[in-house]
Amino acid sequence: MSDSKVDPTKVPISAAVITLDAARTLEAALASLDFCDEIVVLDSGSTDATLGVARAAGARIATRDWTGFRDQKNAATALCRHDWVLSLDADEEVTPELALEIRALFSAGPPPAAGYSVPRLTHYLGRPIRHAGWYPDRAIRLYDRRRAEWVGGQVHERVVVDGPVARLAGDLLHHPYATLAHHIGKLNRYSTLAAETLHARGRSAGWTDLAFRPPFAFLKKLVPQRGLLDGVPGLVVALSTATSVFLKYAKLWDLERRGVPRDPTAAADRSDPDTLRG
């Protein structure tokens, strides 16, 4: 794109955010992007204050019917005016440290890599979770869209880039759950998606899956992944993970019991159903 309209006080990148009833966290997310030359919000029919929050932040707003995370993020990327894109979820925030790091990266011109991964730090039940497999939770979020594409399935979409990937050190803050009940609702939805994906791929579930996989997941979160160091929230993470694993395999068993036909769309889902969490 032409640089003639680029604000010299901003970094010449576009921030892309997809939204659906995201008013709870969107204001903080967009405020953390004030160093970006452009902010694009692609909405999928919000009925809360999401669009008002986006307008107040000066974002360029577009709408698109929801067809999945991968499709929405590719569409949002395509709307951006800059080739370099910073993708942010509506429940995330760029820390000042990460913003300064990105400014420094672009200070000498276009970066050398095709994409950059960042660590995500999830805040849960009043504290940051630095263990239990929830941190650093790295993901590529800054990328050259000419060499990048969002891929994946029903839940775990990700960016793949054609070229080298480098690492940034600053955290991306993640605030995924308003309450514990909100988390449990997501666990229920995501375990259904995971069970459908496993079912479509021909996987089966027996009593050993239901009896042994949940306690193994619980112990893994607490001990090898040191969830104990996160106190009560770490314990809740371990218990909720075990619950999610139980629900996933119980729902898979139930799909087989009822003779539900295998879904070819879910079979084509390349996300890993063993890593889905709400």
Side-chain angles (χ1 to χ4, degrees):
M1 67 161 273
S2 170
D3 292 336
S4 59
K5 294 183 179 180
V6 174
D7 184 337
T9 68
K10 306 283 188 178
V11 180
I13 61 177
S14 296
V17 185
I18 64 171
T19 57
L20 176 61
D21 292 335
R24 177 180 69 90
T25 56
L26 186 61
E27 184 175 2
L30 298 184
S32 76
L33 296 169
D34 63 356
F35 64 96
C36 299
D37 183 62
E38 176 190 43
I39 299 175
V40 173
V41 169
L42 179 60
D43 189 72
S44 301
S46 292
T47 57
D48 65 359
T50 292
L51 295 182
V53 171
R55 290 190 191 97
R60 184 158 60 89
I61 301 170
T63 58
R64 183 182 188 275
D65 290 341
W66 179 262
T67 58
F69 287 99
R70 177 197 61 203
D71 293 348
Q72 297 301 113
K73 291 192 174 183
N74 277 324
T77 297
L79 290 169
C80 293
R81 293 172 179 155
H82 289 282
D83 289 325
W84 276 92
V85 175
L86 175 62
S87 179
L88 197 74
D89 288 346
D91 58 6
E92 295 174 338
E93 298 173 40
V94 176
T95 58
E97 294 79 11
L98 179 56
L100 285 173
E101 195 174 5
I102 294 173
R103 280 188 179 276
L105 183 67
F106 282 83
S107 63
Y116 290 82
S117 72
V118 297
R120 293 201 309 169
L121 179 60
T122 296
H123 283 246
Y124 181 59
L125 299 179
R127 68 176 293 171
I129 304 298
R130 297 186 179 276
H131 307 92
W134 278 25
Y135 186 78
D137 192 24
R138 278 193 169 271
I140 298 172
R141 289 306 184 83
L142 178 65
Y143 52 88
D144 182 345
R145 68 174 181 173
R146 296 166 297 184
R147 296 186 284 171
E149 180 183 13
W150 285 91
V151 301
Q154 299 188 77
V155 178
H156 275 183
E157 76 288 352
R158 68 190 189 282
V159 174
V160 294
V161 298
D162 180 14
V165 175
R167 291 187 168 206
L168 298 176
D171 286 333
L172 194 64
L173 301 184
H174 188 208
H175 302 276
Y177 313 117
T179 62
L180 183 56
H182 183 206
H183 185 192
I184 292 171
K186 281 193 172 184
L187 287 180
N188 187 39
R189 291 194 299 275
Y190 288 0
S191 62
T192 296
L193 294 173
E196 290 172 350
T197 299
L198 289 172
H199 180 66
R201 294 178 185 175
R203 294 271 293 274
S204 60
W207 73 269
T208 55
D209 294 301
L210 275 67
F212 296 118
R213 287 183 183 271
F216 176 78
F218 173 76
L219 291 173
K220 180 180 178 181
K221 290 292 178 186
L222 279 186
V223 183
Q225 295 182 343
R226 302 189 297 168
L228 284 168
L229 298 179
D230 289 312
V232 172
L235 176 63
V236 176
V237 167
L239 286 168
S240 64
T241 299
T243 301
S244 178
V245 171
F246 174 79
L247 289 173
K248 176 173 62 180
Y249 285 99
K251 290 175 181 180
L252 175 58
W253 175 83
D254 187 51
L255 288 170
E256 295 177 285
R257 179 190 66 81
R258 293 186 286 115
V260 175
R262 303 194 188 279
D263 180 1
T265 301
D269 183 347
R270 302 325 302 166
S271 58
D272 183 357
D274 291 326
T275 64
L276 295 183
R277 64 173 169 88

